[in-house]
Amino acid sequence: MDLKFLDEAPTTAEREAVDSVLGPPESGWDGGTRQDTDLRYARGGHTARDQRDMLLPALHAVNDRVGWISRGALDHICRRLTVPPAEAYAVASFYAMFAMHERPRRVVHLCTDIACAAAGSSGLRDRMVERLGPPGSTEGGTTWHESPCLGMCERAPAALALQAGDPARYAVAAPAGPDDLDALAESASADGPVAPSEGNGHRPAVRTTYGADPLPGTAPEADAASAVPDAGSPDHVLLRRIGRVDPLSLDDYRAEGGYAALREALRLGPAGVLREVNDSGLVGRGGAAFPTGRKWSATAQQPDAPHYLVCNADESEPGTFKDRVLMEGDPFSLVEAMTIAGYAIGAQTGYLYIRGEYPRALRHLENALALARERDLLGTDIMGSGFSFDIEIRRGAGAYICGEETAIFGSIEGQRGEPRSKPPFPVEKGLFGKPTAVNNVETLVNVLPVLLMGGPAYAAVGTEKSTGPKLFCLSGGVRRPGLYEMPFGATLRDLVEAAGGMPEGRSIRAILLGGAAGTFVRGDELDIPLTFEGAREAGTSLGSGVVLVLDDTADLASTLVRVAAFFRDESCGQCVPCRVGTVRQEESLLRLRAGASPAQELPLLREVGQAMRDASICGLGQTAWNAVESAIDRLGLFSEDTHQTAAPGDRPATEEAR
Amino acid sequence: MVTAHAHEPFTKKATNTKRGHMRSDDLSAPLDRLTRPLVREHGELRPATWDEALDRAAAGFRQGVERHGPNSFGMLSCARATNEMNFMAQKFARVVVGTNNVDSCNRTCHAPSVAGLAAAFGSGGGTSSYTEIEDTDLIIIWGGNPRFAHPIFFQHVLKGVHRGAKLFVVDPRRTSTAEWADRWLGLNVGTDIPLAHAVGREILHAGLANETFVERATTGLDEYRELVEPWTLAAAEAETGVPAEAIREMAHAYARAERAQLCWTLGITEHHNATDNVRALINLSLLTGHVGRHGAGLNPLRGQNNVQGGGDMGAIPDRLVGFQDILDPEVRAPFERLWGRPIQGTKGKTLTQMFESMESQELRTLYVIGENPVQSEPETHKTTGRLRSLDHLVVQDIFLTRTAELADVVLPASASWCESDGTFTNSERRVQLVRKALDPPEGARDDIEIMCELANRMGQEWERPSAEDIWNEVRSLSPMHRGMSYARLAELSGIQWPCYSEDELEPSYLHSRLWSEDPEERGEPAPFGIVGHSPPVDLLDEDFPFRLTTGRRLDDYNTGVQTSGFSSPLRRGELLDLSPEDAAKLGVKDGETVRVTSRRGSVLTPVSVTEAMRPGLVFMTFHFPDQVDTQMLTIDATDPIAGTAEYKAAAVRIERVEEEARVSAAAS
């Protein structure tokens, strides 16, 4: 420790923001005013250090209130938590959404990732440069950045504006036209009086991080249900409530069958729940497809205590938006599912780690937790069963890597979100070094039908090895992009057809399956069955369920450069193969796009890619070469005969490499 | 304590005699090793051959003994040198000269711990091991800042803390150690006994005393009960300044812990009543049974690599190797047989007594090995005067220290820890082999070799023994070292004493006997120490309203001889730590120079304003004696039992220095 605090004081607003998360300081030693009693006595030690996991929320509180984290604010946080400022700085600067230098209160995040780029985000970028100057410019009343995927691929191109204040506010433009974007790029508005969020008459409004009203002058965001083209379909299991319930109403949720699964779980007992989940054949939907029942049983059996549940809602895989739609449209189902999971694995605390770019999902979940607590569906003695469980929300701050199942622990614990070596596996030593089950949102929500239908009945849905329903995130060139639910077993063709196929005169150049970490397949491979085993046999993977269709107008070389830039940007830098490899990969792709000889570049790319795959600590580096490799081998990109010289309108390599 | 600051070439001696002036430059100047013997001629030191220097050194000692008897000789041995060297040093005093006047800087730090522990348990070492600190439930660090001063030990504390142990820190300052603590109790300087007694009283009144242990293993509980009865929580709060509730909390935490460690450092021992302080802390462990079990014990944290071993080897005036009582003829007999010379059956002079008897001309010759009393003893000018009054002063060191500058003969030695073979004994009583890694620089000689040369010139026939030969002699004379052959030390990476036989290892903690049900095995019970409160000698008044306490910083060590040669980004030179409240009252800013004056002297020093201090309390180190001679301010009131000086409590006043005065100070 040896705390050497900075010599700067927080402003009143910064102090209030921090204290609103941590409570008032106890003494002069932890950031309060020095008093006579402080000269003789101090408390601290374990109690103080055990609050380290409040570092990220405290940083958020300041960033939300004033828009950036000053030295004075950082120092105050450090005093409150007994964290050395250098360490807190290392954590704060790890995240893209925190600024350590003064900037305007309003920040526009313009998505320039694969789906949005295919939908024309480059024109929007030019418009932003014209209005606000280059990205990061702090000249005007608003600043802006190019953003990795914002998870609104079904209505690309997308932009998100976040404005610090009391409360913080946000606005979304998607699909963003020039006028929508102009509205986001207005100067930060003055803090209005806090508008009471719309309750439904008989209950007080829940205090949420983001205010209910969007930024003045911006259009209200479309309902979550608009992301589900066939919302209301009787075939839906996971999406059945989307569009049918008010996502802010617990009563609505219960009227639609909510909390029946938890009651069933409490009747079965933890062992019974584990048996049903094991019988169901449910496997993880985050990408790794690990059997959920096995993970839960292994966690439940650990003698070390306490056990933790972590819900990984850090949905950041480019092209993925399923978890956002679930959380925005049916938040209580996730709360209920987490409660059941906590019950099964013997946890009393669950952490819901949600990505920072999802303000609406955050608001809906904050509301859902508050209401569930109010009705004793969270807290002590849930439903009179004697079981106690509660959920804490932790918000990410712009770091893809924190969706990695061990990096998420570091992020929650208030450390940098760096992946850990496995073993030990999370079920043994996870969050705070204790047995932990980490599950994706979609996986958890599947537990509700497992309990309602019974494990064996659930297992009858889908194929033998891929059971149950699955969500697919369709985006790109199809007629009706959006979130689709299908039982496992449908083919890629079924899915593309469900989405209305391709518009007149367009054909499929390539389909990216599984997101940036996934692989490309060709337009003539539509018979691939969308099951884990089917995808594997076809030499690809389902990943998180991304199906991103690129039509014949797509600039594939630029898409690959964007993928490579994404990994270079998101590599945590901890291990050399990934830190160096992602840079080399991007450089080589830039040279290829500019017309370099594939005969020279491809061997280098393959060697770098193989090194990353073999030697990286975590999945990020191990998969950073997947999409590029498949584009070369499967699509034949950069092969001598199809090799195209630089497409017109390409920006200079230096800009892209920034 | 340490050998000194010897980067000045000896010819510049004259410029160094002024005291108290500022020298802000070269705080990290490289040190030049001594490689040629020096002898004094016409008042100046000049280079000499080894033969000439050894002859002069031996002749001086011989004459002193012939004219004034063996007890006019004194030996200061080195707590940083090997056990073997320390054993030979005390043997030199006892065999070559025939006196028990041998001591080391041990005296200035932990002699009270040894005295206190020996009075309670019969032997003077810490009772636990490092790994047990990691394996305990509660750690109290009382009067110490191990985060800075004992960084290795503190690693073990931190392991314990990370495993869940609670940490209480008792210290006037909110130190870096205190920042790690669950609770910090900021008592007034010199009120350790009231605080300890209040904790004891609270334990008794709350019915939390360990009755089984008290009954089996202690004596004097009734007296103790009576002693602590006046120290109610309220009375203790009034005297110590610590809130009553905090005292109660610590009492209950200590008594309720299943295992607890009580550790202390110089905040306890550098007081005029230091041994009483130690006894007051030991009482708490007796009351709760936190001693003699795995994970529960008492630990004085030693400050030098071999301060434990120096005492173990008998380089102290009242004990022979292995803590054997010099007053006991049966103990002396085997030594006399082996060494062929009777040993005086009286205690020799402690370091403090040696200095006092220089004044009375009782002590005439002094052999100083690796010590620098000019800069480590309180009241510098007094110490210098006393050393000047000697007939003959021989200093054996690796650098030309301030003490060496006063010598008649200076003998360039090897650096024990890297230039010789041998053993060290660390704070947890673990004897470890140290292997020679480097040859000494050309011209310097091994300490033991030098002593042999001198012995031979003084009528002995000493062959230069190997380190292992010396160690085997130690083993033959000291039962508690008997089982530690070099081979076994190498094999086991060190062995803790006691180790009576080559076939067995004793437990890692001491005094398990006290828990035995069998009175025979239990042996001598541990008496409660009946000790009263005695506030610091140097009283605060209107003229001297600030309490000055001293200590170390992380990147410097003692008088700086071993550390000032290395640069450190944290080093700011000497500073007076001052509370923000006092800084405001005095109108001084961080970095501004002030005059600090005690009843004995006055120095100029820059201030450092820090919240770790409270109004009325100031802090300095003694790391930079050439810049600011803190020992000009300290008092030499000493503990009557152990002879340690009250470095921790001086009364001072602080004045702003006018601009002109600063300029003239800088110019001088």
Side-chain angles (χ1 to χ4, degrees):
Chain A
M1 176 140 355
D2 297 336
L3 300 167
K4 302 261 182 257
F5 289 116
L6 307 168
D7 233 0
E8 285 178 47
T11 65
T12 310
E14 288 165 344
R15 189 183 287 273
E16 274 174 18
V18 174
D19 294 354
S20 74
V21 181
L22 302 178
E26 193 180 86
S27 74
W29 298 116
D30 69 345
T33 314
R34 180 159 150 121
Q35 289 165 3
D36 281 354
T37 48
D38 296 338
L39 307 177
R40 298 296 188 165
Y41 180 67
R43 288 154 56 91
H46 292 96
T47 334
R49 287 190 296 274
D50 286 352
Q51 294 183 78
R52 174 66 185 256
D53 68 297
M54 292 307 289
L55 177 58
L56 187 54
L59 291 168
H60 265 302
V62 172
N63 202 58
D64 285 345
R65 179 74 67 96
V66 291
W68 66 290
I69 297 159
S70 69
R71 284 167 63 92
L74 192 73
D75 188 68
H76 185 60
I77 293 171
C78 291
R79 279 181 197 272
R80 296 300 318 272
L81 299 176
T82 50
V83 176
E87 251 185 62
Y89 182 87
V91 171
S93 58
F94 186 80
Y95 297 100
M97 293 175 77
F98 294 145
M100 307 308 286
H101 297 284
E102 190 164 6
R103 64 173 176 184
R105 283 195 298 133
R106 189 185 289 189
V107 181
V108 178
H109 300 260
L110 176 68
C111 180
T112 56
D113 218 319
I114 313 170
C116 287
S121 65
S122 66
L124 298 175
R125 175 173 48 204
D126 296 343
R127 194 174 179 93
M128 290 300 273
V129 172
E130 203 176 295
R131 265 194 75 109
L132 297 176
S137 163
T138 56
E139 301 292 296
T142 293
T143 185
W144 75 287
H145 298 282
E146 289 184 40
S147 170
C149 183
L150 290 172
M152 293 186 273
C153 319
E154 84 281 5
R155 40 194 164 132
L160 166 71
L162 299 174
Q163 180 176 308
D166 183 20
R169 293 178 196 205
Y170 71 95
V172 161
D179 295 342
D180 308 311
L181 201 61
D182 286 352
L184 295 193
E186 285 298 324
S187 287
S189 52
D191 274 346
V194 182
S197 54
E198 76 287 23
N200 33 4
H202 58 275
R203 62 175 168 81
V206 170
R207 168 91 188 169
T208 50
T209 302
Y210 288 99
D213 299 327
L215 289 168
T218 59
E221 191 183 356
D223 282 348
S226 65
V228 184
D230 55 352
S233 157
D235 299 335
H236 282 172
V237 177
L238 304 175
L239 298 177
R240 70 189 171 99
R241 274 182 290 259
I242 307 270
R244 290 176 59 189
V245 297
D246 172 2
L248 294 173
S249 165
L250 175 56
D251 294 340
D252 246 22
Y253 176 69
R254 298 171 78 171
E256 292 292 329
Y259 280 103
L262 177 60
R263 187 168 291 282
E264 177 66 9
L266 295 175
R267 192 185 68 78
L268 291 170
V273 175
L274 291 176
R275 189 184 59 239
E276 296 299 328
V277 175
N278 268 316
D279 288 351
S280 74
L282 174 64
V283 301
R285 304 294 201 237
F290 189 83
T292 307
R294 261 172 62 196
K295 187 185 280 186
W296 286 12
S297 304
T299 310
Q301 283 163 9
Q302 293 294 323
D304 199 5
H307 296 180
Y308 289 108
L309 172 72
V310 172
C311 170
N312 187 346
D314 190 42
E315 180 175 65
S316 312
E317 186 63 50
T320 318
F321 50 89
K322 61 190 175 68
D323 296 343
R324 177 183 59 78
V325 173
L326 286 171
M327 291 187 287
E328 288 182 352
D330 192 12
F332 291 98
S333 67
L334 179 57
V335 175
E336 182 184 357
M338 282 184 72
T339 311
I340 293 169
Y343 180 63
I345 64 167
Q348 292 211 348
T349 310
Y351 287 86
L352 202 174
Y353 188 94
I354 184 169
R355 76 180 295 210
E357 292 89 339
Y358 281 180
R360 182 160 71 177
L362 173 67
R363 203 171 93 75
H364 288 188
L365 282 164
E366 286 174 335
N367 177 75
L369 292 184
L371 297 189
R373 278 187 203 117
E374 227 168 65
R375 302 289 179 84
D376 291 339
L377 294 168
L378 282 178
T380 47
D381 195 17
I382 291 169
M383 285 184 172
S385 64
F387 167 58
S388 298
F389 183 75
D390 211 331
I391 297 172
E392 287 188 35
I393 292 185
R394 286 289 187 275
R395 183 165 31 135
Y400 170 72
I401 190 61
C402 291
E404 199 277 340
E405 69 169 351
T406 57
I408 202 170
F409 301 148
S411 186
I412 294 173
E413 290 166 10
Q415 312 285 346
R416 287 163 66 91
E418 289 174 349
R420 300 170 183 178
S421 293
K422 291 181 277 190
F425 290 96
V427 294
E428 208 181 318
K429 285 193 187 307
L431 186 63
F432 304 116
K434 299 295 178 184
T436 305
V438 194
N439 290 115
N440 171 261
V441 174
E442 185 189 348
T443 315
L444 285 166
V445 169
N446 265 286
V447 171
L448 304 179
V450 166
L451 288 181
L452 293 174
M453 298 161 72
Y458 178 96
V461 179
T463 65
E464 198 187 327
K465 287 182 177 159
S466 301
T467 60
K470 174 77 189 102
L471 299 178
F472 294 100
C473 309
L474 249 80
S475 60
V478 292
R479 275 185 218 262
R480 289 191 294 143
L483 187 61
Y484 289 86
E485 176 179 334
M486 292 197 169
F488 274 113
T491 62
L492 193 48
R493 183 184 314 282
D494 296 337
L495 197 60
V496 171
E497 276 171 10
M502 302 300 285
E504 250 340 284
R506 291 274 163 264
S507 61
I508 298 176
R509 170 75 175 95
I511 300 175
L512 180 60
L513 289 182
T519 50
F520 284 104
V521 299
R522 292 184 307 274
D524 60 7
E525 293 181 287
L526 295 182
D527 292 326
I528 295 176
L530 295 175
T531 57
F532 293 113
E533 64 278 13
R536 202 174 307 124
E537 266 168 43
T540 176
S541 72
L542 290 189
S544 55
V546 171
V547 179
L548 200 160
V549 181
L550 295 173
D551 66 22
D552 46 357
T553 63
D555 175 359
L556 275 178
S558 291
T559 303
L560 288 191
V561 168
R562 183 67 185 95
V563 168
F566 172 79
F567 283 116
R568 185 254 305 141
D569 223 19
E570 299 294 348
S571 170
C572 78
Q574 184 184 203
C575 70
V576 177
C578 175
R579 180 177 69 229
V580 178
T582 52
V583 175
R584 295 288 167 267
Q585 172 171 277
E586 184 193 15
E587 289 168 353
S588 177
L589 288 166
L590 283 167
R591 287 195 295 271
L592 279 168
R593 190 178 68 176
S597 147
Q600 267 189 334
E601 295 294 334
L602 293 190
L604 172 71
L605 263 180
R606 285 184 198 283
E607 199 182 333
V608 168
Q610 198 61 43
M612 289 196 284
R613 182 175 290 163
D614 289 346
S616 296
I617 289 179
C618 81
L620 188 148
Q622 288 161 11
T623 59
W625 148 251
N626 281 4
V628 180
E629 182 188 37
S630 65
I632 294 167
D633 290 346
R634 218 165 174 129
L635 305 183
L637 194 68
F638 305 129
S639 66
E640 291 299 342
D641 45 331
T642 64
H643 177 237
Q644 357 165 326
T645 49
D650 267 350
R651 290 171 310 284
T654 46
E655 190 194 328
E656 193 73 40
R658 179 183 24 81
Chain B
M1 304 195 166
V2 177
T3 53
H5 207 83
H7 59 274
E8 301 269 345
F10 58 87
T11 48
K12 279 172 73 180
K13 180 184 174 188
T15 64
N16 271 342
T17 48
K18 255 193 199 166
R19 301 288 163 186
H21 62 200
M22 293 283 304
R23 246 193 30 211
S24 56
D25 56 334
D26 66 5
L27 291 175
S28 64
L31 300 166
D32 295 325
R33 279 286 291 270
L34 277 173
T35 52
R36 300 177 73 179
L38 306 171
V39 296
R40 189 167 298 280
E41 193 170 76
H42 311 304
E44 292 287 322
L45 285 174
R46 65 155 172 85
T49 64
W50 268 102
D51 273 337
E52 184 187 5
L54 289 167
D55 288 344
R56 290 258 309 249
F61 290 143
R62 217 170 36 229
Q63 276 171 24
V65 175
E66 278 164 12
R67 287 189 199 156
H68 307 287
N71 289 341
S72 69
F73 170 91
M75 160 77 91
L76 297 186
S77 183
C78 177
R80 285 157 308 281
T82 59
N83 286 328
E84 287 74 4
M85 184 265 147
N86 275 284
F87 181 77
M88 291 303 280
Q90 62 86 33
K91 188 173 169 185
F92 186 94
R94 292 188 168 115
V95 176
V96 180
V97 179
T99 179
N100 287 324
N101 292 344
V102 54
D103 206 0
S104 76
C105 75
N106 190 340
R107 195 59 52 194
T108 44
C109 32
H110 266 303
S113 302
V114 174
L117 287 163
F121 304 112
S123 73
T127 73
S128 287
S129 303
Y130 290 158
T131 53
E132 293 176 58
I133 303 292
E134 299 168 15
D135 215 10
T136 191
D137 302 334
L138 177 84
I139 304 166
I140 297 181
I141 295 176
W142 196 314
N145 184 13
R147 180 60 169 169
F148 276 15
H150 301 86
I152 302 296
F153 175 78
F154 200 68
Q155 290 304 309
H156 297 282
V157 171
L158 284 182
K159 279 189 196 166
V161 166
H162 286 312
R163 283 191 189 176
K166 280 234 157 84
L167 177 64
F168 278 69
V169 171
V170 181
D171 198 296
R173 302 179 299 143
R174 189 164 188 262
T175 58
S176 194
T177 306
E179 284 178 5
W180 279 95
D182 293 286
R183 298 289 185 273
W184 163 66
L185 280 62
L187 79 178
N188 289 328
V189 174
T191 60
D192 304 274
I193 290 176
L195 185 63
H197 283 2
V199 168
R201 180 185 186 277
E202 178 63 25
I203 291 172
L204 283 167
H205 278 256
L208 293 170
N210 187 323
E211 286 168 15
T212 305
F213 184 78
V214 169
E215 197 173 300
R216 270 191 208 169
T218 71
T219 56
L221 177 69
D222 291 339
E223 256 181 293
Y224 178 70
R225 196 191 299 275
E226 216 170 287
L227 172 76
V228 299
E229 189 50 35
W231 290 109
T232 60
L233 294 177
E237 173 169 347
E239 185 65 22
T240 64
V242 178
E245 179 50 34
I247 303 173
R248 200 189 78 90
E249 206 181 359
M250 184 164 79
H252 284 241
Y254 184 66
R256 285 171 199 270
E258 207 277 317
R259 295 169 174 177
Q261 294 285 356
L262 185 48
C263 312
W264 66 88
T265 324
L266 308 188
I268 284 298
T269 59
E270 287 184 349
H271 282 290
H272 74 280
N273 56 341
T275 307
D276 288 356
N277 282 345
V278 172
R279 297 294 303 269
L281 297 192
I282 293 171
N283 286 344
L284 301 181
S285 78
L286 298 182
L287 203 52
T288 52
H290 284 317
V291 66
R293 291 183 293 134
H294 179 86
L298 294 159
N299 299 286
L301 308 182
R302 320 309 298 262
Q304 303 186 351
N305 53 333
N306 204 29
V307 71
Q308 178 74 47
D312 296 350
M313 289 302 111
I316 42 177
D318 56 342
R319 301 268 169 172
L320 288 162
V321 62
F323 281 108
Q324 301 181 83
D325 192 347
I326 203 149
L327 303 181
D328 183 345
E330 277 182 44
V331 163
R332 291 197 305 271
F335 288 83
E336 290 168 341
R337 270 201 303 279
L338 185 70
W339 291 345
R341 168 156 196 175
I343 294 170
Q344 292 190 36
T346 53
K347 292 180 182 180
K349 291 186 175 66
T350 65
L351 179 143
T352 319
Q353 289 164 341
M354 285 187 221
F355 275 91
E356 282 164 4
S357 57
M358 287 176 204
E359 212 144 286
S360 59
Q361 299 271 298
E362 212 178 310
L363 197 95
R364 307 301 270 276
T365 59
L366 186 68
Y367 185 6
V368 179
I369 304 179
E371 293 276 321
N372 185 18
V374 169
Q375 288 181 312
S376 60
E377 291 304 299
E379 303 197 39
T380 308
H381 49 275
K382 210 190 238 183
T383 308
T384 309
R386 287 165 167 179
L387 288 171
R388 284 217 167 102
S389 74
L390 288 168
D391 292 344
H392 186 57
L393 172 63
V394 176
V395 175
Q396 181 170 316
D397 210 318
I398 57 175
F399 299 121
L400 188 75
T401 64
R402 285 291 178 77
T403 306
E405 286 170 2
L406 301 175
D408 296 290
V409 179
V410 180
L411 301 171
S414 64
S416 178
W417 60 274
C418 61
E419 293 167 357
S420 61
D421 287 326
T423 57
F424 286 139
T425 308
N426 70 7
S427 283
E428 61 165 1
R429 303 169 274 105
R430 187 177 302 281
V431 179
Q432 292 167 294
L433 281 178
V434 54
R435 288 139 181 115
K436 177 173 170 173
L438 297 170
D439 284 325
E442 179 100 30
R445 291 193 187 178
D446 187 84
D447 284 311
I448 294 170
E449 185 185 328
I450 299 172
M451 281 190 277
C452 290
E453 292 281 354
L454 288 177
N456 291 339
R457 282 168 169 77
M458 293 172 70
Q460 301 287 321
E461 276 177 42
W462 281 17
E463 294 262 317
R464 163 80 170 93
S466 74
E468 190 167 1
D469 295 339
I470 300 172
W471 186 249
N472 286 336
E473 187 175 329
V474 168
R475 291 171 59 210
S476 73
L477 292 168
S478 166
M480 71 184 206
H481 292 100
R482 194 150 292 156
M484 303 179 187
S485 65
Y486 264 27
R488 206 164 172 229
L489 287 173
E491 183 192 339
L492 298 174
S493 298
I495 300 173
Q496 288 173 290
W497 65 251
C499 176
Y500 302 109
S501 102
E502 286 203 62
D503 314 317
E504 277 176 68
L505 287 177
E506 301 296 315
S508 62
Y509 50 92
L510 298 181
H511 316 316
S512 57
R513 64 174 174 89
L514 293 173
W515 286 92
S516 170
E517 281 177 76
D518 173 11
E520 195 99 325
E521 199 181 314
R522 208 149 66 211
E524 202 61 27
F528 279 95
I530 305 305
V531 293
H533 176 35
S534 166
V537 173
D538 208 12
L539 295 175
L540 300 180
D541 61 18
E542 273 179 20
D543 292 333
F544 300 99
F546 286 93
R547 178 58 78 201
L548 169 70
T549 189
T550 63
R552 287 184 193 158
R553 294 191 204 277
L554 177 62
D555 42 1
D556 287 286
Y557 180 73
N558 291 359
T559 61
V561 173
Q562 290 170 326
T563 47
S564 63
F566 307 95
S567 65
S568 160
L570 298 177
R571 180 179 297 134
R572 288 176 65 192
E574 188 57 82
L575 294 167
L576 177 81
D577 283 2
L578 189 67
S579 70
E581 292 84 358
D582 283 336
K585 216 184 294 171
L586 293 164
V588 297
K589 286 191 283 294
D590 194 273
E592 189 173 332
T593 297
V594 295
R595 177 168 292 284
V596 184
T597 309
S598 77
R599 295 188 175 95
R600 292 154 297 279
S602 177
V603 298
L604 292 172
T605 176
V607 302
S608 162
V609 179
T610 162
E611 290 190 342
M613 309 302 291
R614 61 166 173 262
L617 181 69
V618 295
F619 171 84
M620 290 176 77
T621 75
F622 45 98
H623 295 319
F624 308 98
D626 293 341
Q627 178 208 348
V628 178
D629 196 348
T630 310
Q631 307 295 26
M632 301 280 290
L633 303 173
T634 46
I635 183 167
D636 76 345
T638 50
D639 178 58
I641 302 166
T644 311
E646 190 155 65
Y647 292 102
K648 293 294 182 191
V652 297
R653 73 166 164 266
I654 298 161
E655 295 150 308
R656 293 193 63 188
V657 181
E658 297 305 320
E659 195 57 35
E660 308 87 287
R662 266 204 299 261
V663 171
S664 72
S668 76

